């Protein structure tokens, strides 16, 4: 059997390698980075995706490093509590929610790939340029990242573009599509070693995009000698100024700190935490119009390459993981690769398009938009006079249903209170 060729050793590509291997389908992974190092900052993996990672035997390895997230907590920009709800197993799901450094997740997946599939099948320094197909398979063309020199073309049964937001495979399929679409929100991100706040396992969203919003959560289980945790944070607000998305672009404190200068709460001194960050990165919140088609014969797309979404529902990595499970299931036991990839697309295109749209309109942080609008961005006396508990619960439940991690869809072992 010919190998499936995977472009990109990010979260989607490495998970796909593991799901294909489990299904008995041989594969090779080609990554443009000269070395696969754990890059990025914090991400969250919700129960629908941790379920898949557990099925791949990775839950313990992840639980050792990540924070098993206990609760989502929403505040206004004055630090007043709006809403609090349990998450993952604490909310009655069979699987946890993890808050994790993207690099730690990538490292766990990479180690599993090397052990199960073989280190020689995960290649770094190979930048994909193009993929061609014929009746018998695909030919994928690469350049060496270090020198730009053309490398030997690679033959395979199929090629899956897991090459992220600036996917060359997507550009090849949709040459006229243009750059990702800017949402109007720019983000500054960092990670800071800081004293545990709230439960030490809390995922905080605060404020609103008009006057400044923060997302703050710890991402490593272990604490340093001073009892501090690694805390990932994102500050974001509407601004016409932004630069092309590059996951590693350095950000500058002076461009955003003024918005959060008076965010000194009894549970966290936000500006002090921001100022103590080792690195600050900047990137625009972007997505793309959902595509009606990803699969063209033996070529298809997965993860951000297929359905980039604005990061407002903690779902980018999770949906890439669900794609990976689906591709392997569709290919398993099929003789016609193109038919299998069309089946994958039929299962996943509409499901992910709905999340792309929901992330634009009503992700879980829409709770904060409601409070912002109803209070005119002023402090409130009693949150129950602003928004009812039923409305708050309906907003988060509605998102969970569209994103596929509501309890009815996933099943749960016990009821929550
Ligand atoms: C360096 C980096 C840092 C990130 N940091 C964060 C973060 O802090 N928080 C967050 O929420 N999300 C982050 N993301 C995005 C997040 O990982 C994805 O949104 C999500 O996990 C979906 O994963 P994916 O595999 O589709 O894409 P990605 O995780 O983006 O992986 C795509 C992979 O393809 C590789 N690639 C791209 N082009 C080519 C090519 N031509 N040939 C070969 N390989 C190629 C890339 O180097 C990358 O390894 C980051 C992504 C990257 C690449």
């Amino acid at each position: 059997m010919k190998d499936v060729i995977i472009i990109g050793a990010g979260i989607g590509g490495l998970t796909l390698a593991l799901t294909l291997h489990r299904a008995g389908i041989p594969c090779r992974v080609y990554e443009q980075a000269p070395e696969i190092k754990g890059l990025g900052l914090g991400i969250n993996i919700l129960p629908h995706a941790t379920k898949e990672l557990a099925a791949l035997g990775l839950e313990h390895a992840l639980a050792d490093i990540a924070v098993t997230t206990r609760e989502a907590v929403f505040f206004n920009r004055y630090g007043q509590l709006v809403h609090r709800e349990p998450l993952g197993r604490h909310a009655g799901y069979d699987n946890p929610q993890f808050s994790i450094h993207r690099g730690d997740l990538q490292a766990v997946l990479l180690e599993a790939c090397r052990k199960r599939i073989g280190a020689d099948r995960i290649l770094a320094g190979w930048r994909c340029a193009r993929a061609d197909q014929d009746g018998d398979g695909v030919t994928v063309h690469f350049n060496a990242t270090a020198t730009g020199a053309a490398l030997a073309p690679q033959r395979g049964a199929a090629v899956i573009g897991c090459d992220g937001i600036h996917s060359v495979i997507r550009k090849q399929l949709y040459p006229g599509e243009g750059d990702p679409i800017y949402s109007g929100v720019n983000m500054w991100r960092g990670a800071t070693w800081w004293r545990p706040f709230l439960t030490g396992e809390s995922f905080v969203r605060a404020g609103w995009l008009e006057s400044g919003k923060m997302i703050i959560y710890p991402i490593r289980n272990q604490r340093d000698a001073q009892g501090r945790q690694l805390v990932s944070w994102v500050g974001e607000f509407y601004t016409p100024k932004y630069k092309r998305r590059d996951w590693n672009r350095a950000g500058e404190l002076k461009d955003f700190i003024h918005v959060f200068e008076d965010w000194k709460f009894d549970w966290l001194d936000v500006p002090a935490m921001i100022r103590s960050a080792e690195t600050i990165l900047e990137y625009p919140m972007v997505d793309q119009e959902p595509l009606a088609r990803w699969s063209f014969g033996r070529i298809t797309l997965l993860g951000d390459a297929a359905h980039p979404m604005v990061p407002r529902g903690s779902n980018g990595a999770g949906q890439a993981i669900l794609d990976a499970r689906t591709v392997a299931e569709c290919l398993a036991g099929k003789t016609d690769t193109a038919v299998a990839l069309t089946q994958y697309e039929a299962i996943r295109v509409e499901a992910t398009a709905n999340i792309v749209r929901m992330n634009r309109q009503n992700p879980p942080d829409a709770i904060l938009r409601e409070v912002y609008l109803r209070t005119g961005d002023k402090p409130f006396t009693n949150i129950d006079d602003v928004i009812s508990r039923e409305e708050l619960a309906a907003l988060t439940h509605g998102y969970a249903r569209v994103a596929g991690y509501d309890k009815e869809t996933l099943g749960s072992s016990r009821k929550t209170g």
Side-chain angles (χ1 to χ4, degrees), residues 7-13 30-32 39-43 102 106 126-128 162-164 168 189 247-248 283 302-305 316-317 320:
I7 309 299
I11 307 308
Y30 295 85
E31 165 61 42
Q32 68 172 0
L39 293 172
L41 293 166
I43 59 176
R102 177 187 177 275
Q106 196 180 15
W126 287 65
R127 174 168 287 155
C128 177
C162 308
D163 47 346
V168 294
R189 310 177 303 143
W247 288 112
N248 302 312
Y283 68 57
L302 179 151
D304 279 3

Side-chain angles (χ1 to χ4, degrees), residues 6-14 30-33 36-45 100-103 105-106 123 125-130 142 145 161-169 189 217 232 234 245-248 281 283 302-309 311 314-321 323:
I6 299 173
I7 309 299
I11 307 308
L14 292 173
Y30 295 85
E31 165 61 42
Q32 68 172 0
I36 308 176
K37 305 193 277 213
L39 293 172
L41 293 166
I43 59 176
N44 269 268
I45 312 289
I100 188 167
H101 193 296
R102 177 187 177 275
L105 172 60
Q106 196 180 15
L123 296 117
W126 287 65
R127 174 168 287 155
C128 177
R130 195 181 85 245
F142 294 91
T145 306
C162 308
D163 47 346
I165 180 84
H166 299 298
S167 165
V168 294
I169 302 290
R189 310 177 303 143
Y217 52 93
S232 191
V234 185
R245 174 137 124 187
D246 168 354
W247 288 112
N248 302 312
L281 302 173
Y283 68 57
L302 179 151
D304 279 3
H307 44 70
M309 52 184 69
S314 308
N315 239 310
Q319 294 302 320
I321 290 166
D323 291 346

Side-chain angles (χ1 to χ4, degrees), residues 111-343:
E111 195 192 324
C113 282
R114 284 183 172 148
K115 272 198 193 132
R116 296 177 196 180
I117 302 166
D120 57 332
R121 289 182 161 264
I122 322 289
L123 296 117
W126 287 65
R127 174 168 287 155
C128 177
R130 195 181 85 245
D132 299 325
Q133 59 183 315
D134 51 52
D136 197 34
V138 293
T139 306
V140 189
H141 303 271
F142 294 91
N143 298 103
T145 306
T147 61
L151 296 165
Q154 304 288 298
R155 284 288 290 170
V159 57
I160 323 275
C162 308
D163 47 346
I165 180 84
H166 299 298
S167 165
V168 294
I169 302 290
R170 180 170 174 136
K171 277 204 187 78
Q172 179 182 330
L173 299 174
Y174 292 93
E177 191 183 26
D179 274 345
I181 305 162
Y182 181 50
S183 65
V185 177
N186 205 23
M187 302 185 276
W188 287 264
R189 310 177 303 143
T192 308
W193 285 94
W194 204 252
R195 292 175 295 283
F197 57 88
L198 302 176
T199 63
E201 298 167 337
S202 300
F203 178 68
V204 168
R205 297 176 179 101
W208 182 242
L209 296 165
E210 306 283 345
S211 50
K213 180 176 156 238
M214 290 284 314
I215 304 165
I216 313 167
Y217 52 93
I219 52 173
R220 281 214 181 109
N221 204 357
Q222 88 270 27
R223 300 187 180 186
D224 72 2
Q226 295 162 57
R228 299 177 308 178
Q229 295 175 288
L230 188 63
V231 173
S232 191
W233 51 262
V234 185
E236 51 194 37
F237 50 85
Y238 286 118
T239 166
K241 282 197 241 161
Y242 72 99
K243 300 186 186 107
R244 183 181 195 258
R245 174 137 124 187
D246 168 354
W247 288 112
N248 302 312
R249 186 188 300 287
E252 289 198 53
L253 196 65
K254 68 170 175 48
D255 291 337
F256 71 104
I257 189 71
H258 56 281
V259 171
F260 305 104
E261 205 62 89
D262 57 352
W263 286 40
K264 294 177 183 171
F265 310 135
D266 54 2
W267 51 273
L268 187 65
D269 182 336
V270 174
M273 180 198 67
I274 293 174
R275 285 202 164 83
S276 302
E278 283 162 13
T279 21
I280 295 177
L281 302 173
E282 173 189 341
Y283 68 57
M285 206 183 260
V286 294
D287 67 6
Q288 290 279 38
E289 235 13 90
L291 297 173
R293 196 171 166 196
W294 305 334
S295 298
F296 294 79
R298 295 169 181 269
I299 303 176
T300 196
L301 303 169
L302 179 151
D304 279 3
H307 44 70
M309 52 184 69
V310 293
R312 285 177 54 190
S314 308
N315 239 310
Q319 294 302 320
I321 290 166
L322 297 188
D323 291 346
R325 197 265 323 263
T326 312
V327 169
E329 277 176 6
C330 291
L331 281 171
K334 302 274 186 350
T335 45
D336 192 328
T337 304
V339 168
L341 295 183
T342 309
Q343 277 174 357

